[in-house]
Amino acid sequence: MTSQTTLAGPGHQPDGPDRSDRTESQGGLQAGLKNRHLSMIAIGGVIGAGLFVGSGAGIAAAGPAILLSYALVGLMVVFVMRMLGEMAAARPASGSFSTYADQALGRWAGFSIGWLYWFFWVVVLAVEATAGAKILEGWVPGVPQWGWALIVMLVLTATNLVSVGSYGEFEFWFAGIKVVAIGAFVILGLLAVFGVLPGSDHAGSGLAHLTDTGGFFPEGPGAILTGVLMVVFSFMGSEIVTLAAGESENPQRAVQKATNSVIWRIAVFYLGSIFVVLTLLPWNDPSILEKGSYVAALDVIGIPHAGQVMDVIVLTAVLSCLNSGLYTASRMAFSLGGRGDAPKAFARTNKRGVPQAAILSSVVFGFVAVFFNYQWPDTVFAFLLNSSGAVALFVWLVICFTQLRMRGIILRESPEKLVVRMWLFPYLTWATIAMISFVLVYMLTDDAGREQVLLSLLVAVLVVAVSLVREARRRRSVTPAGSAGS
């Protein structure tokens, strides 16, 4: 296929005290995402399958206090998104926070966090493909589960290869279904909570279930932190819109809207839906774990075929996550290629403005991870899963430290572009760093969390070591040439 070599940036300059002049353009990528695509990606991007599938375990562990867990993590995400929005509105880039870390903290930081983020989403591809395959096999048992995983991956790979507009259109409808489903769930649930849902025989218990079974803290206040560990990873994906904004007609406006709307998105979709579940039935109702929190709530309301309805919604969330995961991984690979931190082929686009090599490379690793999931689920794949488990927190931490430096760079070079500002800078930035660090340290006291943090840290150390070795070699190769020239 005819392709044009279009790198994502002008290349790395020789090291010096000021590296802020190295910016990334969108060379080769086309502005194929419409405003409605970006709006729905922003709204639905924060809603993963983890909200539907994993919330029951959090409720069982913390009781009604899980609302505070969601609120704490939600607050943390709001702050991180505000910081990322400040940088992305001023300097839209396909590599988003990886590009900014490169400019503000050094090449090692951009390289490391970029590859870790790519690794995270490649593993997510395998997880979501398997989850979707399980649902589809239940509907059509004639096709084996691995066959469904293959079909799902092939369809979404083809979608991403066609054009960025094709990705945007699919994500618009996938995210739209999630948004409508949760919106309807919250409205119907609140009506049922107060006993005014037409056609329902649910008497309505008001807010009694928040305290009538052991109080609001049935497992003690410490369970809030346990809940934080269980819900934090369901928020991963909020930052996708800042990567996608680079392929829109008005990146600055798209980032502004996404950043400003993140508060109500988290309030409605996370806190609102979990609040409805907790007020419709007692937190320790066995059906929450047996059926899942949303299905149990729909059954209480009297919605027929609640399980099948939720399967459709979860499948949509899975496909949405797969679609966005493949897009995100490929754009991060594209950005790394453009900065010389990945094969240059990753930064080439075809005539439709699609980074074909970056997409295919990402999906190949996704397929390999799917194979590991079926062949060695408890060994190799468990290692992949746990070693990527804390990457979300590492990414957020790097965003915080990057923003501390980038604020000064932006003010010095283009202050007029600082249209989104982090509140109470730098105090809230440092407070967010403290919050994320506390969660990481607290995870070390939890058996499952400890393994995730330590393995993720091991992988992070290896990636940073590779970046430092590469940088040392590059400097040695540059120094003799510079000496000869002088």
Side-chain angles (χ1 to χ4, degrees), residues 139-151:
W139 295 348
V140 186
V143 179
Q145 195 176 114
W146 65 266
W148 279 120
L150 183 64
I151 291 169

Side-chain angles (χ1 to χ4, degrees), residues 40-41 44-45 170-180 316 320:
M40 197 55 75
I41 290 170
F170 267 73
E171 191 57 25
F172 175 81
W173 292 105
F174 286 154
I177 292 172
K178 289 190 291 184
V179 169
V180 170
T316 302
S320 171

Side-chain angles (χ1 to χ4, degrees), residues 344-378:
K344 288 185 177 181
F346 286 5
R348 296 192 184 107
T349 59
N350 61 22
K351 59 186 178 182
R352 295 186 300 274
V354 173
Q356 187 170 289
I359 292 174
L360 292 176
S361 300
S362 299
V363 83
V364 163
F365 279 94
F367 276 126
V368 170
V370 170
F371 172 75
F372 287 156
N373 196 6
Y374 286 109
Q375 194 67 28
W376 301 290
D378 299 323

Side-chain angles (χ1 to χ4, degrees), residues 166-454:
S166 176
Y167 154 73
E169 197 63 33
F170 267 73
E171 191 57 25
F172 175 81
W173 292 105
F174 286 154
I177 292 172
K178 289 190 291 184
V179 169
V180 170
I182 295 184
F185 175 80
V186 170
I187 293 171
L188 293 176
L190 289 175
L191 291 174
V193 164
F194 297 105
V196 293
L197 180 64
S200 173
D201 57 0
H202 188 267
S205 53
L207 306 181
H209 287 320
L210 292 177
T211 55
D212 64 4
T213 313
F216 190 76
F217 300 98
E219 301 294 337
I224 296 173
L225 293 176
T226 304
V228 164
L229 301 187
M230 303 182 79
V231 307
V232 67
F233 301 109
S234 64
F235 283 84
M236 191 64 172
S238 308
E239 66 290 328
I240 289 175
V241 69
T242 64
L243 282 88
E247 293 178 77
S248 67
E249 295 175 354
N250 192 336
Q252 191 178 75
R253 181 170 176 270
V255 169
Q256 277 185 278
K257 288 182 65 176
T259 304
N260 292 332
S261 66
V262 70
I263 298 175
W264 70 260
R265 284 186 279 136
I266 289 174
V268 172
F269 298 132
Y270 280 86
L271 291 174
S273 59
I274 298 301
F275 175 81
V276 165
V277 171
L278 289 167
T279 48
L280 281 174
L281 64 170
W283 68 272
N284 57 355
D285 191 304
S287 64
I288 290 179
L289 279 178
E290 292 170 4
K291 300 178 181 179
S293 55
Y294 288 80
V295 175
L298 290 173
D299 279 342
V300 167
I301 295 174
I303 303 295
H305 309 294
Q308 291 89 331
V309 170
M310 194 50 60
D311 272 349
V312 172
I313 295 170
V314 170
L315 179 63
T316 302
V318 164
L319 294 176
S320 171
C321 195
L322 259 173
N323 195 37
S324 287
L326 181 53
Y327 171 84
T328 305
S330 65
R331 286 339 184 249
M332 186 58 74
F334 170 84
S335 176
L336 288 165
R339 286 178 275 143
D341 292 333
K344 288 185 177 181
F346 286 5
R348 296 192 184 107
T349 59
N350 61 22
K351 59 186 178 182
R352 295 186 300 274
V354 173
Q356 187 170 289
I359 292 174
L360 292 176
S361 300
S362 299
V363 83
V364 163
F365 279 94
F367 276 126
V368 170
V370 170
F371 172 75
F372 287 156
N373 196 6
Y374 286 109
Q375 194 67 28
W376 301 290
D378 299 323
T379 52
V380 178
F381 189 73
F383 171 80
L384 291 177
L385 201 60
N386 286 320
S387 60
S388 66
V391 167
L393 293 168
F394 293 167
V395 168
W396 294 346
L397 206 54
V398 167
I399 289 172
C400 294
F401 282 112
T402 301
Q403 190 260 342
L404 284 172
R405 296 288 302 276
M406 280 296 289
R407 168 67 74 91
I409 294 173
I410 295 170
L411 284 174
R412 184 172 65 249
E413 296 183 355
S414 48
E416 74 282 357
K417 293 184 178 180
L418 199 62
V419 293
V420 176
R421 289 175 179 260
M422 176 59 183
W423 308 294
L424 297 177
F425 177 83
Y427 308 109
L428 270 186
T429 300
W430 280 111
T432 308
I433 289 172
M435 290 168 65
I436 298 170
S437 301
F438 177 80
V439 172
L440 283 168
V441 171
Y442 188 77
M443 285 178 72
L444 293 173
T445 67
D446 178 76
D447 290 339
R450 185 184 307 113
E451 187 175 13
Q452 287 189 3
V453 170
L454 293 177

